[in-house]
Amino acid sequence: MSDARFFNDEPFLDDEGSDLLGREQYARHAVELLERVRTQTETGVLALIGSWGSGKSTVLGKVIRLLQQQDGSEDWLIAELNPWLYSNLETLTTALFSEVRAALPKGRRWSEVRKTLGGFGQAISPLGKLTALAGLDSEGLIKAFSDRISGDTSASTAKRKAEEALRRAGQPVLVVMDDLDRLTPDELLLVFKLVRLVGHLPNVYYLISFDEQTLLDVLQRSDLVGNSEGRAREFLEKIIQVRLDLPAFRERDAAAMSIRALNALLDSHSLSMTPSEERRFSEAYFRHLQDRLQTPRAVKRYFGQADATLSSLAGNVDLVDFLIVTFLRTTEPGVYRLLRRHRAELTGTSIDAAQRHSTQQPGERAERWRHRLREAGVAEDHIKGVLNLLALLFPTVQQDLGNGSDTKAAAQRRGIGSTDYFDRYMVFGVPDDDLPEAAFDQALAQLTTDAPGEEAAELLLRLRDDTHRITRRIEQRRSAGIRLPAAALLKAMADSYGQLTAEPEMMGLVNSGMSMQFLARDLLTDLPPEQRAPVLAAMAASTDGAVLATRTLHRATNPDNNDSEEVQTAEDWSLQARDAVTEQIAQHLVPTTGKPAEELTESDTDLIWMWRHTHPDSLRPWLRQRLDNGWEPLPLLGKLLQPAPRPHRLIDESVLAGLDAMFGLDDLYTRLAPLLQTQTSNSADEHHANILQALREHRPATGQTSPPDSGTTA
C-alpha cells in the first residue's frame, strides 16, 4: 500500500488517479496560449493568478513539464528564477541572465547568444557583480574594467547585440517566477522593472504567478503606487499582457479532494470507517469543515496534520472525534488550548459546572461558550461553526446549547467527551497511566482462556489503582455486546477488593469499592444461573472477596437497587449462593472465637455485616452465642458502628433495620437495658456514649418489638 504524500508542497496526489481538479487540462491550455502569444509578439508577460494555496504552483509545474516533453528544434527553453533570493536590481538582473544562459543548449549554435547575453549583463551590472556572470578573477576584473571604458560596451549596444542573437536563434525562452505576492513592495517593484525594461528581449517570455489581492495590497504600500487600489491595478495592467485566472475551487472540488485525502489517510493507516462514523464525519464536514477548506493547500494541510498524529492513536480514539479535534487544532489553535483549560467541565466532571448548570438557562450557558471562543481568537463569522463542532464532541456543550445528548455514547466510542479518553487527544497517544485498547483486549482474551500474561497482570494491577476507569471500560465492552470472561473477572476483582487505592469520584460520593460492586453485579447476572453460586463461592474464598461476593449477591437479588434487609429474589441459584457464601463467611470468622469484641478487626465486622445479607437466621444465634460467652454488647456495637461525621446520624432507620436483622432489637435492647436506663453513661468512650444515646432516641419509636421500615443500610 502506497503512502499518501501529505508532507510536501508538491501537487496533491499528482500521479495518483484522475486529474481531479482539471489542472492538467488547464496547464495544456496555458501552453497553447503561450504558443499563440509567441506568434503575435516577440516577448510578453503572462500571469497565473489565484489565491494562496489554490494550486498555482501545481499548474506551473505541469506547464514546465509539458514544455520539457516537447521534441522539436523550436521548442521552449525553461529558466526558473526565484526572486526571493535577491534583494536589489543588480543581483536580480545578474540572476536573470545567469538563469537564461543556463537554460540555453550547450552547442556551438548558441555560443554567440550566450556571449552577447553575458555582454549585456556585464554592461548593466556594477563591476562588483561581473564575477557572477563571467567568473572573473582579480586580473580579469581589472581587464573588464579597462575594456568597458575603452570599447563599445554601452548598455544599449550590448542589449542590441543580445537582441539580434536571440532573434537569429529563433527558439523561445520561458522565464518562470512563482509567488511574487510574497515579496516586499521594493522587491516587487524591482522584479517588475526587470521584466518590463531590462528583460524585455526577443523570444524571452515571462510566466509569473501571484495572488492578485495580496499583490495589490503590496503595491499600495509602495511609494510608486501609493494607497490606491485603482493605481495598483493600472500598474499591473502595464506589466501584464495576458491573465491566466486559475479556475475557481468549487465546493464539489473541495469535497472530492477531501474524500480522496480521507481515503488516502485511512489506507495509509489500514483503517476504515463504519457507516455510523461516515454519517458523523459527513455531518461535521458539510456543515462546518467545508467552509474552512477552501483551497487544495488547506485540504492537504488538514489531512497532513491528521496523518502526522494518527499512527499513535489509531484504535485508541474515536476516528471522527480525532478528525474534528485535528481540524480545530489546525485552524483554531486557541480553541484547542481552551479544551485543556476546561477539561473538567467539558467531560462533565467539574463540581463548578454542575453548580452553574443548575442555575443558568441553556441560552446563558451557550453565550458563555461564545464569549470563550471570542477570547480564544475565533473570528465572529466562525463562532457558530466552532461551537457546533464542540457540541458534536462534548455532550455537555450539546446540553449547554439546549439539546439532548447521550453522555454514555462519548465513552462508548472512546470520544474526547469522556474523561477516560480525553487525555489521549491532548498528548497524541496513550498516556503512561492509561492502558492501550489492544493491550486491554489482549488482557481480557488471556483471562477468557485462563492463560494470563503480562497484559492480564497489568489490567488487574490497574483495576486496583485506577478502578473507576477500568470498570467503566469493561462495562463499555459489556454494553457493546462483547462477550467478557465474567467468571475470571469476578474472581480477579474479589482478589483485588481489599487493595483498592483509587480516589473517590463524583464529589467523593462514589468510592472505588462501589464502582467494583456495580460491575460485579452486572457480570454476575451475565453468567448462566447454574454458574453463579460456584463463582460467588470462589470469590468468597478470601476475607475481602467474601465481602464483595456478598455485596454482589445482594445487589443482584435486589433489582430495585436498594439495600433492604428483605430478600426480594428467592431463585434456586440465589439460595444456593447464600448458603455457599454464608459457609465461607462463618469459616473466616472462626478465628474470632475466644477473643474479646474489642479486638475485632475491620474485616471481621465487615463479614458480620455481610452475613446479615446472606443468612440472618444463622447469624442471630451465632452472635447470641458469643454474647452469652463473653462478648460485651456495647463494645461489639462500637466495632460495628463507625463514628458518623456531622450532620449524619449515627443510627438512622436503615441502620436500625440492619441491627434488627443481626441481633433482633428486643434482644439487643434487653442486653443493653442497664446502660440505657440511665441518661448518664458510665462509659468513658464518647463513641459508646453516642451509640447509647442514639438507641435511646429510637427506642420509643420501635417499642422494642419490631423493626422500622427498612431503607438503605450501612
Side-chain angles (χ1 to χ4, degrees):
M1 184 180 300
S2 62
D3 191 23
R5 294 185 285 119
F6 290 111
F7 308 119
N8 58 60
D9 204 26
E10 299 301 318
F12 179 70
L13 298 175
D14 188 37
D15 298 322
E16 302 177 29
S18 60
D19 184 19
L20 187 65
L21 303 179
R23 298 307 193 220
E24 186 79 18
Q25 179 181 353
Y26 192 76
R28 293 185 184 280
H29 164 68
V31 169
E32 293 173 0
L33 187 58
L34 278 170
E35 294 290 353
R36 292 173 58 193
V37 170
R38 180 187 172 195
T39 63
Q40 299 180 28
T41 178
E42 64 177 7
T43 184
V45 180
L46 292 79
L48 180 62
I49 300 173
S51 60
W52 279 0
S54 60
K56 298 187 298 297
S57 297
T58 298
V59 173
L60 287 179
K62 290 179 179 293
V63 168
I64 292 172
R65 185 171 63 183
L66 289 171
L67 293 176
Q68 290 173 337
Q69 290 173 350
Q70 294 177 344
D71 185 17
S73 59
E74 295 186 358
D75 292 334
W76 290 83
L77 304 173
I78 308 298
E80 296 184 64
L81 179 62
N82 187 349
W84 287 19
L85 300 178
Y86 311 100
S87 60
N88 54 59
L89 182 60
E90 291 80 9
T91 55
L92 187 59
T93 301
T94 299
L96 171 64
F97 288 115
S98 295
E99 293 294 342
V100 172
R101 290 178 68 195
L104 300 178
K106 305 301 182 183
R108 179 176 299 179
R109 170 191 170 192
W110 292 95
S111 60
E112 181 183 357
V113 180
R114 295 171 63 86
K115 179 179 179 181
T116 57
L117 277 177
F120 181 33
Q122 292 183 40
I124 63 176
S125 297
L127 288 178
K129 309 298 181 183
L130 293 178
T131 54
L133 284 168
L136 302 177
D137 54 21
S138 57
E139 292 183 2
L141 187 61
I142 295 173
K143 183 178 184 299
F145 179 76
S146 176
D147 291 342
R148 175 175 290 192
I149 63 177
S150 62
D152 185 9
T153 58
S154 68
S156 59
T157 300
K159 183 177 182 181
R160 186 177 64 254
K161 291 180 179 179
E163 290 173 343
E164 292 172 355
L166 285 167
R167 285 194 183 96
R168 285 195 299 272
Q171 193 161 354
V173 179
L174 181 65
V175 180
V176 179
M177 290 188 280
D178 195 6
D179 293 329
L180 295 190
D181 45 35
R182 303 187 184 187
L183 299 174
T184 67
D186 291 341
E187 292 169 341
L188 185 59
L189 292 177
L190 288 176
V191 171
F192 285 149
K193 183 176 181 181
L194 174 67
V195 169
R196 189 67 178 142
L197 300 177
V198 179
H200 195 75
L201 299 169
N203 285 326
V204 176
Y205 300 83
Y206 296 86
L207 179 56
I208 62 178
S209 169
F210 54 81
D211 170 53
E212 184 172 29
Q213 190 57 55
T214 303
L215 194 69
L216 292 173
D217 293 340
V218 173
L219 283 173
Q220 290 178 77
R221 299 201 305 270
S222 69
D223 295 334
L224 179 64
V225 172
N227 189 21
S228 170
E229 183 171 327
R231 285 179 57 81
R233 289 188 181 278
E234 291 176 0
F235 181 81
L236 278 182
E237 291 172 359
K238 293 179 181 179
I239 303 297
I240 300 168
Q241 282 73 57
V242 182
R243 292 173 59 104
L244 282 165
D245 289 278
L246 202 63
F249 190 58
R250 302 169 299 171
E251 287 187 357
R252 63 181 297 176
D253 297 331
M257 177 168 280
S258 294
I259 291 172
R260 178 185 288 189
L262 176 61
N263 289 334
L265 174 71
L266 297 177
D267 288 345
S268 66
H269 294 276
S270 301
L271 297 173
S272 62
M273 278 189 171
T274 65
S276 174
E277 289 173 331
E278 290 178 352
R279 287 192 297 271
R280 288 177 54 227
F281 184 70
S282 293
E283 178 184 0
Y285 177 83
F286 287 107
R287 289 189 178 183
H288 310 297
L289 273 62
Q290 181 175 248
D291 290 342
R292 307 288 293 275
L293 301 176
Q294 292 292 321
T295 66
R297 179 177 294 163
V299 173
K300 186 175 182 181
R301 177 172 177 260
Y302 165 51
F303 285 99
Q305 288 296 315
D307 186 57
T309 52
L310 181 56
S311 60
S312 58
L313 287 170
N316 290 299
V317 297
D318 177 71
L319 182 57
V320 177
D321 279 19
F322 165 79
L323 290 171
I324 295 175
V325 171
T326 300
F327 176 81
L328 292 174
R329 180 167 59 86
T330 305
T331 61
E332 298 287 356
V335 176
Y336 181 72
R337 292 190 294 270
L338 179 145
L339 300 184
R340 184 181 294 275
R341 290 199 302 272
H342 297 284
R343 178 188 191 278
E345 183 176 348
L346 289 167
T347 58
T349 57
S350 169
I351 298 176
D352 292 339
Q355 292 173 345
R356 286 195 297 268
H357 289 188
S358 64
T359 59
Q360 287 186 327
Q361 296 300 313
E364 296 175 300
R365 301 199 296 268
E367 184 55 38
R368 186 179 68 247
W369 280 110
R370 295 187 189 97
H371 175 72
R372 289 171 175 171
L373 294 179
R374 292 187 188 98
E375 289 189 329
V378 180
E380 195 66 33
D381 292 345
H382 296 152
I383 285 180
K384 181 179 179 181
V386 172
L387 184 56
N388 286 332
L389 285 177
L390 293 180
L392 292 177
L393 296 173
F394 300 101
T396 54
V397 178
Q398 188 76 267
Q399 293 169 0
D400 287 346
L401 297 183
N403 302 320
S405 63
D406 184 358
T407 56
K408 292 184 178 180
Q412 190 69 46
R413 67 172 188 263
R414 303 167 193 162
I416 189 175
S418 167
T419 186
D420 295 331
Y421 301 102
F422 180 93
D423 289 339
R424 297 182 179 184
Y425 295 82
M426 296 291 109
V427 301
F428 312 121
V430 180
D432 292 340
D433 61 352
D434 197 356
L435 196 61
E437 298 304 308
F440 197 95
D441 292 335
Q442 182 65 25
L444 294 178
Q446 292 171 356
L447 292 172
T448 299
T449 58
D450 195 23
E454 293 182 3
E455 290 81 5
E458 183 68 18
L459 174 64
L460 299 182
L461 178 63
R462 292 178 184 271
L463 187 62
R464 299 176 183 178
D465 58 27
D466 196 10
T467 309
H468 303 289
R469 176 159 53 181
I470 296 300
T471 55
R472 281 194 295 263
R473 290 175 65 180
I474 294 174
E475 187 63 56
Q476 289 158 16
R477 282 162 170 74
R478 179 180 175 273
S479 299
I482 297 175
R483 186 175 181 180
L484 298 173
L489 283 171
L490 285 167
K491 293 175 184 177
M493 291 162 66
D495 293 338
S496 302
Y497 190 68
Q499 306 171 53
L500 306 182
T501 60
E503 295 293 328
E505 289 190 345
M506 295 180 62
M507 298 178 286
L509 297 178
V510 179
N511 60 39
S512 55
M514 294 174 65
S515 292
M516 189 172 281
Q517 292 165 31
F518 288 123
L519 175 62
R521 174 201 61 193
D522 293 340
L523 291 174
L524 182 69
T525 56
D526 288 342
L527 290 172
E530 66 273 12
Q531 294 183 18
R532 296 173 187 173
V535 168
L536 286 168
M539 292 172 64
S542 66
T543 301
D544 294 324
V547 175
L548 179 60
T550 305
R551 293 190 184 280
T552 303
L553 173 61
H554 187 72
R555 291 187 184 279
T557 54
N558 283 268
D560 294 333
N561 289 327
N562 63 48
D563 216 5
S564 170
E565 303 304 321
E566 181 181 350
V567 176
Q568 298 186 22
T569 299
E571 301 176 18
D572 289 343
W573 75 265
S574 67
L575 297 176
Q576 295 172 6
R578 287 188 176 93
D579 290 341
V581 174
T582 298
E583 182 179 352
Q584 293 279 30
I585 291 175
Q587 289 295 320
H588 293 314
L589 287 172
V590 168
T592 63
T593 303
K595 66 179 180 180
E598 292 89 335
E599 295 181 7
L600 291 175
T601 66
E602 184 176 349
S603 294
D604 295 335
T605 57
D606 284 343
L607 288 171
I608 294 172
W609 275 110
M610 293 303 101
W611 193 340
R612 88 193 193 276
H613 280 315
T614 60
H615 207 289
D617 290 342
S618 63
L619 173 60
R620 286 183 185 178
W622 185 89
L623 282 172
R624 289 174 182 173
Q625 181 182 15
R626 275 154 181 73
L627 289 170
D628 292 340
N629 292 325
W631 279 10
E632 295 292 334
L634 186 57
L636 176 58
L637 289 177
K639 286 292 185 177
L640 291 171
L641 302 175
Q642 295 300 314
R646 294 181 181 181
H648 301 286
R649 301 176 63 184
L650 179 62
I651 298 178
D652 59 15
E653 300 299 322
S654 62
V655 173
L656 202 65
L659 293 177
D660 184 61
M662 296 163 66
F663 296 96
L665 286 180
D666 288 344
D667 185 73
L668 181 62
Y669 273 97
T670 298
R671 292 178 184 273
L672 291 171
L675 298 175
L676 292 170
Q677 289 172 358
T678 174
Q679 290 295 323
T680 304
S681 175
N682 295 326
S683 173
D685 190 310
E686 181 181 0
H687 179 48
H688 289 176
N690 291 335
I691 292 174
L692 291 173
Q693 181 57 35
L695 288 172
R696 291 188 190 100
E697 294 172 357
H698 282 281
R699 184 172 185 175
T702 63
Q704 291 182 257
T705 57
S706 61
D709 292 338
S710 61
T712 302
T713 64

